[in-house]
Amino acid sequence: MGHTLVIVESPTKARTIRGFLPKDFKVEASMGHVRDLPNNASEIPAAHKGEKWANLGVNTAANFEPLYVVPKDKKKVVKELKDALKGADQLLLATDEDREGESISWHLLQLLSPKVPVKRMVFHEITKEAISRALEDTRDLDMELVHAQETRRILDRLVGYTLSPLLWKKVAWGLSAGRVQSVAVRLLVQRERARRAFRSGSYWDLKARLEQGEAGFEAKLSHLKGERIAGGSDFDESTGALKAGSKVRLLSEAEARQLQVQVQANPWQVTSVEEKPTVRKPVPPFTTSTLQQESNRKLRLSARETMRTAQGLYERGFITYMRTDSVHLSDQAINAARSCVSEKYGKDYLSPSPRQFSTKARNAQEAHEAIRPAGEAFRTPNATGLDGKDLALYELIWKRTVASQMADARLTMLAVELQADGGALGPAQFRASGKRIDFAGFFRAYVEGSDDPDAALEGQELLLPALKVGDSPACKAVEALGHQTQPPARYSEAALVKMLEKEGIGRPSTYASIIGTIVDRGYATLANNSLTPSFTAFAVTALLEEHFPDLVDTSFTARMENTLDEISHGQVQWLPYLESFFKGEKGLETQVQQREGDIDPGVSRTVELEGLPCVVRIGRFGAYLETKRVAEDGTEELLKATLPQEITPADLDAEKAELILRQKADGPESLGDDPESGEQVYLLFGQYGPYVQRGQVSDENPKPKRASLPKGAKPEELTLEDAIALLRLPRQLGDHPEGGRVEAGLGRFGPYVVHHKGKGEKDYRSLKAEDDVLVVGLDRALELFAMPKKGRGGRTALKDIGVPEGADEAIQLFDGPYGLYVKQGKVNASLPEGTTADTITLEQAVELLAAKAATGKAAARKPGAKKPAAKKPAAKAPAAKKAPSTTKTGRLRASAVRVIRAADS
C-alpha cells in the first residue's frame, strides 16, 4: 500500500507536523531551497561553461531565462526526496505560505517530476486543527506568486551582479551592491552626513520644585514677559543658531541665573488649570516589521535574531507564520485573545466588541493573518516551557495579541499654568504637566515601546496635586539649566526597519537579511544598538549617487517595488519590464558600460569630508588619511596614515586627523623613559585605536610590550605615569580572604579584576565606569566579587531570597522587562500580581519555581525517558533553511569568480 509524501522546508517543521498527520503520511525536509541561480563558477553546468551570461545565471539575450542549478550540498537532499517519492501515491507540497514558499514548491515540482497527483498544502500555524483543515483544503500551485518571486530574484541578480564588479574595480575588492541594500546604506550615510553638518546650539531655562499642601511637583519656564522661551526644536541644525523668523526668547545664562533668584524670592500663583480627558486605543497585533521593531526596542534583539527565534517558534507550533504584512486576526484568534483577557484581567478589561484591524502597508501580501500565538486557545507564556529568547519573544507576541482585544485606556492629561514675578525681566510663566490614568485598560497587558529608552512609557502616571486658579504653591527650589541641542540620532535597527517600511522599500520579510548583509559587508557597524556607516559606505554611496542616482533613490526603489507587486497580481508583464530596466539606451547594462570608463578609481576611493586638513581614502586594509606635505629637501610628498577602526565619519575632526598625521610624519610620540627598563614609552595610533608601547620594534625586540588605552581615555591627556602603569598591567592587588591572589587588568572587553582561585580556576568581574584600573584597590575588588554575576541579558539580582533546605543554589530575585521574577539555577518564574520585592518569601519562591519546573523543560524526567522533540533548539531550523546562502563562505575568497556571490544581496 502506498503512502502520501509531504515535503516541508526544515527538520523542525517536519517533526512538528508529523505529529498531526495520519500514520500513512511520510514527512521529509527540503532543507530550504533545492535549486537556485549559480553561486560560483563550479556550479555552472558543463553545457554552459564559457558562455558570458552563465556567471550571471540569467540569459539576458534569451528572454531573461534563468539558469537554475542544484548546489553540490543539495544533491544528496534531492536524491533522498526522489527515493522518498518512490512508492508514494500522492505528493503534498507543504512549504510556507508566502512567495518564497510557493517558489520552493515549484522548484521541487520541476526537479522531482512526480507521476502521482500533486497538491499544494498551506497553513499559517502548525496545530492539529490547522493541519486538518489544510489537508481538506489543498489547492494547485499559484503560478502568479511563482512568477512574482522569480522576477524579483532575477531583478536582484541583475542589479547585484552588474554593479558589484564595478565597485570592486573602482572602490575595494569584495564589495557588493543590491537593489534594497544600497538604498538602506544610503539612508545610514545621509543620517551620518547630517550629524557631521550639525552645529550645536545652546539655550537656558528654569525648572522649579513647588509644593501644595504636602504634595510636591515640578514646573518648567515656558514664557517670559509673554514671549515663548526657546527650546531645542527652535534651532537650525546646520548653523546652531535660532531658525530664521523664530519669535522666541533666547535666555542667556546670566538672565537665567538672575531670573532664578527673582522667582525664588517672590510669591507664585496658579493662573490656569486644565484637565483634558483622552483615550488610548491598543495598537494592532504584530506584522513582521513591527515585531522586528518592538523586539529590537524592548528585547534588544537584532532583526536577524528576532526572525531566527520567531522561525523556531512557528516551526514548533507556538506562533502563526512570522512573515506577514497583515494585521488581520481570524475569528478563532479573536475568541482566544478575548478568553485570555477574561481569565487573566476580568471582563471589565475586554473591549465592548471584538476589534478587527485593517492593514495599511502598501501592497500587503505574504501570509494573511497577523503574528499571534497559535491555536484555538493561547498558551500563557508560563505554560509553554520556553525560556531565554524564545520565551521573551513569545511573551511579547502573546501580550500584544491579547492587548488588541482589551478595552481602551482612559487618561486625563493635566496642565497647570503658574506665574511668578521675575523682577526687571518681567513676569515669568511656568507650566506643570501631568497624566492621570483613570482606567488602565490594555495598559495592564502591553505598552508599546519607544526608540528612546529614557522616554517614560505611556503606562506611567505623573500626578499633580489638586490645584485651582488663585492657589499660591510654595517654591522650594529653582534650578537654572543649560542645554545643548543634540545631533540627529543614528538609526537603530528598529528605526531603519520603520523607515524602509514607511518608504515602501523592500519586503519586511527581507529586512533582517538586508541589515545583516550591510553589517557583514563592512558598510556599517552595530554598537549600542546604533548602526554607524563606515567610510566605505560613504565612498560607495557617493559613487552610486553620482553615476546611478535612480538605484539609490528611495522613491525610484519604492516604484520598482510597486511594479514587482503589480507583476504578482498579473497587472504588469514581467518580461517587458525586465527588458526596459536592463536593456536599451537607458538600461542598467548600457549605463554601467558607458559609465565605467568615466569613473576614476582615485576619486571613487576618496571620501572628502568638510573641515579636514586631508582626505580619507579607502585602501585594501581599510580607511586611511592622505595629505601632501613638504619634505626636508623641499620636495612635495604624500603622507598616509591608517585610521583607527573606532573613528567614524561623524567623529573624525581636524584635531584627530592632525594628531594621527603628525605622529605618522614625525614618528611615534615619545612620552619619556620607563625608569625600570630605560626604554622610551611611545603613544601610537593603530587600526584598533590608540595604544602605548615600550621600546621600538627591532630584530632584537620584534614584539615590544603594548597596552591599549581604556575606553574613553583621551590620548592628548595621557601622562608618562599613566602609560607606564598601563604597560605594567595586570597589577597585583593582594590576597583574597578565601585564598588565591587578586589582580586588576585590561582585556579585550575592558578593565577587570580577577581572582585566581588555583588549579586554573578564575573568577572575573568587569570594573564599573567610575573605577580606574590603575588605582582600584583590593577592598573595591572584593566588593565587586561580592556582587552576584550578571545573569542573561546583563541583569543583576535585586537580592538573594535564600537557599531552600536541601538545595545547593540560592533563589535570587530579578527585575526583567516584564516585571519581577525569581530564579534558581536555570529555572525562573514570574511573581504573581500584588507580590513585591519586599513581600516575596522563600516559601512562595520555592512554590513558584516548583510549579514552573513541572511545566517547563527543567521538569525531572524518568530514567530512560526521551527528551520531547519540541524542546530542541529552535535555532537549528532556520540555519538548515538558509543553508544555500550560508555554506562554503570560507571558500568564497579563494577566487575572483567566487567573490561574485557577495553581490547577491
Side-chain angles (χ1 to χ4, degrees):
M1 185 178 168
H3 62 271
T4 295
L5 176 63
V6 180
I7 301 179
V8 296
E9 294 95 332
S10 79
T12 307
K13 187 174 175 181
R15 278 192 297 273
T16 310
I17 200 173
R18 202 173 282 134
F20 303 132
L21 291 170
K23 288 183 180 178
D24 59 340
F25 278 60
K26 188 176 180 181
V27 187
E28 295 292 339
S30 71
M31 311 299 283
H33 274 281
V34 286
R35 220 170 55 150
D36 200 1
L37 303 175
N39 277 319
N40 53 55
S42 67
E43 289 184 358
I44 297 169
H48 298 289
K49 291 273 187 193
E51 294 189 45
K52 283 185 179 179
W53 61 270
N55 279 341
L56 181 61
V58 179
N59 191 349
T60 55
N63 291 337
F64 292 86
E65 187 181 343
L67 172 62
Y68 291 119
V69 296
V70 178
K72 284 178 185 173
D73 60 333
K74 285 304 177 75
K75 291 187 186 300
K76 185 183 175 188
V77 175
V78 172
K79 184 182 182 305
E80 287 170 352
L81 292 175
K82 285 182 175 177
D83 290 343
L85 189 58
K86 291 172 184 173
D89 49 26
Q90 183 181 207
L91 173 62
L92 290 181
L93 299 169
T95 52
D96 293 339
E97 61 170 334
D98 55 9
R99 290 172 180 162
E100 195 84 10
E102 208 73 17
S103 176
I104 292 173
S105 282
W106 178 73
H107 282 293
L108 283 167
L109 199 59
Q110 298 294 303
L111 273 176
L112 299 177
S113 302
K115 304 288 189 292
V116 294
V118 179
K119 286 292 177 186
R120 180 81 169 95
M121 175 180 168
V122 290
F123 41 85
H124 66 274
E125 60 183 351
I126 307 176
T127 60
K128 189 171 181 62
E129 298 79 21
I131 299 304
S132 297
R133 281 197 302 270
L135 279 173
E136 292 170 9
D137 194 22
T138 55
R139 61 168 171 80
D140 292 329
L141 211 62
D142 185 335
M143 288 311 295
E144 277 192 352
L145 275 186
V146 172
H147 284 313
Q149 179 63 24
E150 199 171 22
T151 308
R152 193 176 288 272
R153 183 79 183 92
I154 292 169
L155 187 63
D156 287 343
R157 176 60 72 109
L158 295 176
V159 173
Y161 274 41
T162 306
L163 282 182
S164 296
L166 184 69
L167 296 181
W168 304 343
K169 295 173 192 171
K170 305 297 182 180
V171 183
W173 184 253
L175 290 177
S176 67
R179 182 177 64 86
V180 179
Q181 171 200 312
S182 297
V183 181
V185 169
R186 185 181 181 225
L187 288 172
L188 300 182
V189 169
Q190 285 176 320
R191 182 62 57 89
E192 204 74 359
R193 285 172 181 161
R195 286 174 67 86
R196 272 197 71 81
F198 177 80
R199 296 293 174 267
S200 182
S202 59
Y203 60 98
W204 285 77
D205 60 17
L206 301 183
K207 183 170 75 175
R209 181 75 192 157
L210 304 163
E211 215 171 73
Q212 176 76 9
E214 292 184 4
F217 64 102
E218 284 184 352
K220 287 186 177 179
L221 179 68
S222 62
H223 292 75
L224 185 61
K225 221 174 182 177
E227 284 184 286
R228 183 170 67 81
I229 296 296
S233 60
D234 296 308
F235 288 84
D236 188 318
E237 294 188 346
S238 59
T239 64
L242 284 175
K243 290 175 182 172
S246 289
K247 294 180 180 177
V248 291
R249 171 77 177 269
L250 182 59
L251 207 61
S252 68
E253 182 179 359
E255 288 174 322
R257 300 213 179 277
Q258 182 186 344
L259 192 61
Q260 176 188 12
V261 174
Q262 290 291 332
V263 296
Q264 199 159 356
N266 291 320
W268 289 60
Q269 189 174 40
V270 175
T271 56
S272 108
V273 176
E274 187 183 355
E275 291 196 3
K276 186 179 177 185
T278 186
V279 169
R280 295 280 161 81
K281 295 184 180 298
V283 286
F286 281 128
T287 60
T288 304
S289 166
T290 54
L291 178 65
Q292 288 175 12
Q293 291 173 48
E294 195 73 340
S295 171
N296 185 237
R297 292 176 194 136
K298 282 191 171 177
L299 308 180
R300 282 294 182 260
L301 292 181
S302 69
R304 263 183 180 171
E305 286 176 302
T306 298
M307 292 309 286
R308 193 180 295 129
T309 307
Q311 176 106 24
L313 291 173
Y314 161 68
E315 291 183 342
R316 288 181 291 158
F318 286 105
I319 63 169
T320 53
Y321 192 52
M322 68 291 154
R323 290 193 179 95
T324 177
D325 294 335
S326 175
V327 291
H328 179 80
L329 285 175
S330 65
D331 291 344
Q332 167 191 296
I334 289 173
N335 292 335
R338 293 180 74 80
S339 295
C340 286
V341 176
S342 297
E343 288 166 22
K344 188 167 176 65
Y345 304 107
K347 291 191 175 176
D348 289 348
Y349 283 87
L350 263 178
S351 61
S353 59
R355 289 187 197 269
Q356 193 53 270
F357 300 87
S358 58
T359 301
K360 293 178 184 174
R362 299 185 210 179
N363 299 302
Q365 52 95 35
E366 314 291 4
H368 301 296
E369 191 176 1
I371 304 169
R372 60 164 175 87
E376 295 180 358
F378 296 165
R379 278 175 280 189
T380 59
N382 287 343
T384 57
L386 296 167
D387 66 359
K389 292 176 188 172
D390 291 340
L391 176 61
L393 195 66
Y394 179 81
E395 193 164 16
L396 198 63
I397 293 164
W398 186 90
K399 287 186 171 186
R400 176 106 165 196
T401 311
V402 168
S404 75
Q405 297 305 314
M406 291 178 73
D408 296 343
R410 296 195 301 275
L411 301 88
T412 299
M413 309 307 288
L414 310 165
V416 175
E417 303 281 353
L418 304 107
Q419 193 164 299
D421 185 3
L425 291 169
Q429 190 176 326
F430 286 73
R431 184 179 179 87
S433 300
K435 177 168 56 180
R436 185 176 68 237
I437 297 175
D438 302 313
F439 176 67
F442 71 93
F443 283 168
R444 285 285 304 278
Y446 184 87
V447 180
E448 191 171 25
S450 161
D451 276 327
D452 176 10
D454 297 322
L457 292 175
E458 288 182 319
Q460 293 178 333
E461 284 189 304
L462 182 61
L463 297 174
L464 294 177
L467 291 163
K468 59 184 186 297
V469 174
D471 281 349
S472 298
C475 179
K476 294 296 181 183
V478 180
E479 200 178 348
L481 300 172
H483 304 276
Q484 294 286 115
T485 56
Q486 297 301 309
R490 291 186 175 110
Y491 283 102
S492 64
E493 285 202 49
L496 184 58
V497 165
K498 189 175 183 178
M499 176 61 85
L500 290 170
E501 186 178 45
K502 179 188 168 192
E503 295 291 340
I505 298 164
R507 305 268 14 132
S509 56
T510 64
Y511 292 159
S513 62
I514 289 162
I515 294 171
T517 300
I518 288 169
V519 174
D520 292 347
R521 301 277 181 261
Y523 285 124
T525 53
L526 183 59
N528 299 322
N529 205 35
S530 288
L531 287 159
T532 305
S534 63
F535 290 100
T536 304
F538 268 66
V540 169
T541 298
L543 184 151
L544 295 176
E545 282 176 334
E546 182 178 352
H547 298 284
F548 307 98
D550 280 352
L551 292 180
V552 285
D553 179 69
T554 49
S555 58
F556 178 86
T557 310
R559 286 198 300 275
M560 194 187 300
E561 205 70 60
N562 283 340
T563 306
L564 287 169
D565 283 320
E566 286 168 349
I567 289 168
S568 74
H569 300 133
Q571 296 164 335
V572 171
Q573 294 301 305
W574 68 278
L575 193 55
Y577 177 69
L578 286 180
E579 288 273 0
S580 64
F581 174 79
F582 194 70
K583 294 189 166 189
E585 194 179 328
K586 293 186 177 179
L588 179 63
E589 185 180 41
T590 311
Q591 289 295 309
V592 169
Q593 288 169 356
Q594 288 176 351
R595 293 276 182 174
E596 190 169 332
D598 301 336
I599 300 172
D600 179 354
V603 174
S604 299
R605 293 186 180 119
T606 303
V607 180
E608 291 195 26
L609 299 172
E610 209 177 308
L612 293 187
C614 56
V615 294
V616 178
R617 289 197 191 279
I618 310 301
R620 286 179 63 196
F621 305 107
Y624 63 92
L625 300 176
E626 183 180 288
T627 190
K628 290 178 181 175
R629 70 162 194 159
V630 179
E632 289 179 6
D633 61 2
T635 59
E636 197 174 58
E637 65 177 8
L638 277 180
L639 180 63
K640 299 176 182 179
T642 301
L643 262 174
Q645 282 184 345
E646 65 188 36
I647 294 183
T648 66
D651 300 330
L652 183 62
D653 55 24
E655 190 181 352
K656 284 193 182 83
E658 279 166 359
L659 190 63
I660 295 166
L661 288 166
R662 189 167 64 246
Q663 186 203 82
K664 182 72 176 180
D666 303 339
E669 180 185 346
S670 174
L671 299 172
D673 295 337
D674 180 352
E676 277 188 17
S677 65
E679 293 178 292
Q680 286 199 311
V681 176
Y682 299 98
L683 171 66
L684 298 103
F685 291 85
Q687 191 178 4
Y688 302 105
Y691 62 95
V692 289
Q693 177 178 297
R694 187 166 55 215
Q696 291 274 36
V697 176
S698 65
D699 292 340
E700 297 78 32
N701 188 20
K703 290 187 177 179
K705 174 76 175 174
R706 291 173 175 172
S708 295
L709 267 61
K711 192 175 181 181
K714 295 181 178 177
E716 60 271 20
E717 295 175 5
L718 187 75
T719 65
L720 174 63
E721 291 73 25
D722 288 341
I724 291 170
L726 286 169
L727 288 164
R728 287 180 184 159
L729 288 175
R731 291 170 51 229
Q732 301 286 333
L733 303 186
D735 295 328
H736 197 285
E738 295 173 9
R741 71 184 190 280
V742 177
E743 291 178 345
L746 190 61
R748 57 185 292 212
F749 301 114
Y752 63 87
V753 286
V754 57
H755 174 202
H756 294 269
K757 295 183 171 183
K759 294 183 180 178
E761 192 182 349
K762 298 174 185 178
D763 187 18
Y764 288 89
R765 291 291 189 281
S766 292
L767 291 179
K768 309 293 183 190
E770 64 270 19
D771 295 315
D772 185 341
V773 69
L774 301 179
V775 297
V776 69
L778 181 62
D779 289 347
R780 173 60 176 157
L782 295 177
E783 202 178 296
L784 290 167
F785 287 125
M787 294 179 187
K789 267 193 173 175
K790 287 192 174 182
R792 187 177 293 178
R795 295 190 190 96
T796 305
L798 298 179
K799 69 175 183 179
D800 275 2
I801 295 172
V803 182
E805 194 175 334
D808 297 325
E809 290 183 277
I811 297 177
Q812 295 178 309
L813 180 70
F814 289 85
D815 189 6
Y818 307 112
L820 298 173
Y821 65 93
V822 286
K823 180 171 184 174
Q824 185 184 31
K826 292 185 178 178
V827 184
N828 55 39
S830 298
L831 264 59
E833 275 191 46
T835 309
T836 66
D838 298 323
T839 60
I840 181 74
T841 65
L842 180 61
E843 291 73 23
Q844 282 177 303
V846 170
E847 282 179 24
L848 289 167
L849 288 163
K852 179 65 184 288
T855 58
K857 62 190 265 184
R861 295 189 183 93
K862 294 177 183 177
K866 288 186 180 177
K867 188 177 180 182
K871 302 293 188 284
K872 291 194 178 180
K876 296 290 182 193
K881 182 173 179 179
K882 291 185 182 176
S885 60
T886 56
T887 53
K888 303 181 186 170
T889 50
R891 300 198 289 272
L892 287 181
R893 305 182 197 279
S895 70
V897 175
R898 288 187 178 193
V899 178
I900 205 163
R901 184 175 178 188
D904 208 6
S905 62

